[in-house]
Amino acid sequence: MLFCSPASRFAGTAVAWRELQGEPLITLTRDSGIRLLIEVAYKTVGMPLLPAYEVSQITTALALVEARLGVAVLPTYALAAAPHRRIVSQPLSNPIIARDIVMIRPSGRSVSPALATFETILRRNVRRLAPSDLD
């Protein structure tokens, strides 16, 4: 998802990756799996990835967006860190970049009450944060 200021030209509309050309981009550092996905998207559309800022934490990226220093491409779950920030998020397309996040547990074993509760809360929050087409 693209995270931007409510005053950004991207607010309120879906955004194609190519439209990010020339925008000050805030990204996570190269040791992040998210960064690899962003690099793939930029390469796919034939643009060089030239970040204005590279940060280690999603919350730092969101703070820079809120300060209007650029736009950030972050996973949908970054919405959980932005509920009180003056930031909007928009889906990115052409290409659509996604990754699976899975929960693995041993088969053939009963689930502890703690794990069952955690799984229920996790699923509820994922549905709340994920765009409807990803449910």
Side-chain angles (χ1 to χ4, degrees):
M1 306 240 358
L2 180 73
F3 290 79
C4 60
S5 159
S8 169
R9 67 186 177 103
F10 300 120
T13 183
V15 180
W17 285 90
R18 187 168 298 286
E19 295 176 68
L20 299 180
Q21 189 161 4
E23 288 292 319
L25 184 66
I26 301 159
T27 66
L28 297 176
T29 56
R30 296 197 85 182
D31 59 344
S32 164
I34 303 302
R35 171 65 178 266
L36 176 62
L37 295 173
I38 294 168
E39 289 175 2
V40 167
Y42 268 74
K43 186 171 184 158
T44 299
V45 297
M47 294 187 325
L49 178 61
L50 305 169
Y53 301 93
E54 292 184 42
V55 299
S56 298
Q57 302 293 321
I58 286 175
T59 52
T60 305
L62 293 171
L64 293 174
V65 169
E66 189 173 31
R68 296 184 180 188
L69 296 175
V71 298
V73 176
L74 299 168
T76 303
Y77 64 78
L79 289 168
H84 304 294
R85 295 189 179 274
R86 289 181 213 105
I87 294 174
V88 296
S89 61
Q90 302 301 133
L92 281 160
S93 62
N94 297 326
I96 293 176
I97 302 291
R99 69 178 181 165
D100 292 329
I101 298 176
V102 298
M103 184 163 55
I104 300 172
R105 56 184 159 131
S107 62
R109 290 186 178 171
S110 61
V111 175
S112 72
L115 179 57
T117 301
F118 173 76
E119 187 174 356
T120 299
I121 292 169
L122 180 64
R123 288 181 186 280
R124 184 181 321 129
N125 284 298
V126 165
R127 284 187 191 101
R128 183 178 55 84
L129 291 174
S132 58
D133 61 328
L134 296 180
D135 283 342

